């Protein structure tokens, strides 16, 4: 039976477990350092199965040994950025958390695929790669699917059409320097620039870039978790069913897009072996400049890591 472990029982982790349980992908383990938290949420989700109609086995634990032989490990554990906290502060805090998690993943689930969700996403995925020592195709991050989903949602609202007919694309770093690509986005096959004016598209791009911050501002406390968990599950589904879907994820680049040795949001083929190929899209000169600025920021953060 397939075994999936989720590290971190906060909103993103717990909602991910809920979605996975409802799809009955296999046995699930929810791990957190807070005593009682993963156990309580696991019990609640198990009882929901009797009502919703799923038989997924869910275990809550404070012991990493329970992730032994997991096929997929999803890492959502980490601190959120608080007012007055610099990006460097967040990186230092979450690097320590990610190192501890990944040392345990390396020990108990050495053959798994790792999906990193902890922010700053691209940098933390790099930490996961270095600490686990896994092949890069087995370690990647959830970012582009979430950003693409936001872009697609805004486009659908603007055109008053079904979200199911919108194909959007966002690449680059996960954060303010992400790069939505209107020319590679379409609605039922029609390129976005043929449907909307430049000013409208620019507004949708800007809203996409700050999509996470918009939700944080509205919530006052906490951040998004419904859409992130949906993005995670889409990745898991493509892995477990070997669908080989082309999905935007944070992947380790080895020269693609002129980048090397960093994690970056790009479209990739996702199958049972993890990342099975990276798709290189044609970009404008202006987009290449934005991409290079984004990668430079990630490289700077990586150079300053203490791992």
């Amino acid at each position: 039976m397939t075994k999936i472990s989720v590290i971190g029982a906060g909103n993103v982790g717990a909602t991910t477990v809920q979605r996975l349980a409802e799809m009955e992908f296999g046995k699930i383990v929810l791990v957190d350092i807070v005593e009682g938290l993963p156990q309580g949420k696991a019990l609640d989700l198990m009882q929901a199965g009797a009502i919703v109609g799923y038989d997924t086995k869910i275990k809550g634990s404070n012991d990493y040994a329970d992730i032994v032989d997991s096929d997929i490990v999803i890492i959502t554990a980490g601190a959120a950025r608080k007012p007055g906290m610099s990006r460097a502060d967040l990186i230092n805090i979450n690097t320590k958390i990610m190192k501890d998690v990944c040392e345990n993943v390396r020990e108990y689930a050495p053959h798994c695929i790792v999906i990193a969700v902890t922010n700053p996403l691209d940098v933390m995925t790099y930490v996961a790669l270095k600490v686990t020592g896994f092949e890069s195709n087995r370690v990647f991050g959830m970012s582009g699917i979430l950003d693409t989903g936001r872009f697609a949602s805004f486009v659908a609202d603007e055109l008053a059409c079904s979200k199911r007919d919108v194909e959007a694309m966002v690449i680059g770093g996960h954060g303010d320097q992400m790069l939505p690509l209107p020319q590679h986005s379409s609605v039922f096959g029609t390129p976005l620039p043929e449907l909307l004016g430049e000013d409208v598209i620019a507004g949708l791009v800007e809203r996409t870039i700050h999509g996470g911050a918009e939700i944080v501002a509205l919530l006052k406390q906490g951040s998004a978790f419904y859409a992130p968990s949906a993005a995670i599950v889409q990745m898991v589904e493509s892995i477990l069913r070997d669908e080989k879907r082309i999905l935007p994820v944070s992947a380790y680049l080895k020269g693609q897009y002129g980048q090397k040795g960093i994690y970056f949001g790009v479209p990739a083929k996702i199958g049972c072996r993890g990342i099975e190929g990276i798709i290189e899209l044609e970009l404008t000169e202006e987009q290449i400049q934005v991409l290079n600025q984004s990668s430079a920021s990630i490289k700077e953060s990586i150079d300053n890591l203490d791992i």
Side-chain angles (χ1 to χ4, degrees):
M1 176 182 289
T2 298
K3 183 175 180 179
I4 304 170
S5 290
V6 178
I7 314 299
N11 285 337
V12 174
T15 308
T16 297
V17 172
Q18 179 186 3
R19 294 185 188 277
L20 291 171
E22 290 174 351
M23 298 184 77
E24 296 189 300
F25 278 143
K27 180 181 179 181
I28 303 173
V29 178
L30 178 60
V31 177
D32 199 286
I33 61 172
V34 179
E35 292 186 8
L37 180 63
Q39 293 89 343
K41 291 192 175 184
L43 183 59
D44 193 10
L45 286 164
M46 286 284 286
Q47 292 167 357
I51 301 168
V52 177
Y54 59 79
D55 290 311
T56 306
K57 303 298 182 184
I58 307 167
K59 179 176 183 177
S61 175
N62 304 120
D63 187 351
Y64 280 108
D66 285 321
I67 73 171
V68 67
D69 296 333
S70 293
D71 298 287
I72 298 175
V73 174
I74 301 160
I75 305 174
T76 69
R81 190 169 176 176
K82 299 176 182 177
M85 181 185 290
S86 70
R87 175 182 170 84
D89 290 338
L90 182 64
I91 289 175
N92 291 336
I93 292 169
N94 282 346
T95 294
K96 293 178 182 177
I97 294 172
M98 185 63 77
K99 284 176 65 177
D100 179 62
V101 171
C102 289
E103 285 168 357
N104 283 284
V105 171
R106 182 181 62 205
E107 178 178 356
Y108 294 110
H111 304 296
C112 75
I113 288 174
V114 174
I115 298 176
V117 186
T118 305
N119 281 318
L121 191 283
D122 304 293
V123 180
M124 290 302 106
T125 309
Y126 181 88
V127 173
L129 175 74
K130 293 304 177 181
V131 176
T132 60
F134 293 174
E135 301 93 336
S136 60
N137 65 291
R138 290 201 285 135
V139 181
F140 44 99
M142 186 287 296
S143 56
I145 298 174
L146 171 61
D147 300 329
T148 294
R150 287 171 174 159
F151 192 23
S153 179
F154 298 149
V155 168
D157 287 346
E158 181 66 32
L159 291 171
C161 71
S162 172
K163 293 179 177 63
R164 289 174 291 184
D165 292 329
V166 181
E167 291 287 342
M169 180 56 65
V170 178
I171 64 173
H174 182 55
D176 293 346
Q177 291 181 315
M178 71 178 72
L179 181 62
L181 299 177
Q183 80 271 32
H184 292 294
S185 303
S186 63
V187 179
F188 202 63
T190 304
L192 195 58
E194 294 182 20
L195 297 170
L196 294 171
E198 288 185 14
D199 290 345
V200 174
I201 291 176
L204 297 177
V205 165
E206 188 68 15
R207 191 179 180 194
T208 299
I209 291 172
H210 301 292
E214 181 180 358
I215 292 174
V216 169
L218 289 168
L219 292 176
K220 302 299 189 296
Q221 287 187 318
S223 57
F225 54 93
Y226 293 121
S229 62
I232 295 166
V233 172
Q234 189 174 73
M235 296 167 73
V236 171
E237 183 175 23
S238 190
I239 294 167
L240 294 182
R241 293 179 174 169
D242 196 23
E243 292 178 335
K244 303 191 187 300
R245 292 198 61 185
I246 308 299
L247 300 171
V249 303
S250 183
Y252 189 72
L253 300 187
K254 302 177 180 178
Q256 301 93 336
Y257 292 92
Q259 309 299 327
K260 189 175 182 180
I262 66 169
Y263 272 91
F264 215 46
V266 293
K269 182 191 296 184
I270 308 298
C272 63
R273 292 180 285 115
I275 292 179
E276 299 182 5
I278 291 174
I279 311 300
E280 293 196 65
L281 302 173
E282 186 174 340
L283 306 176
T284 66
E285 287 299 322
E286 183 179 354
Q287 289 170 340
I288 291 172
Q289 289 180 7
V290 173
L291 209 65
N292 288 336
Q293 291 171 2
S294 181
S295 66
S297 176
I298 294 171
K299 288 176 183 176
E300 182 180 359
S301 296
I302 287 174
D303 288 342
N304 293 322
L305 285 173
D306 181 18
I307 52 175

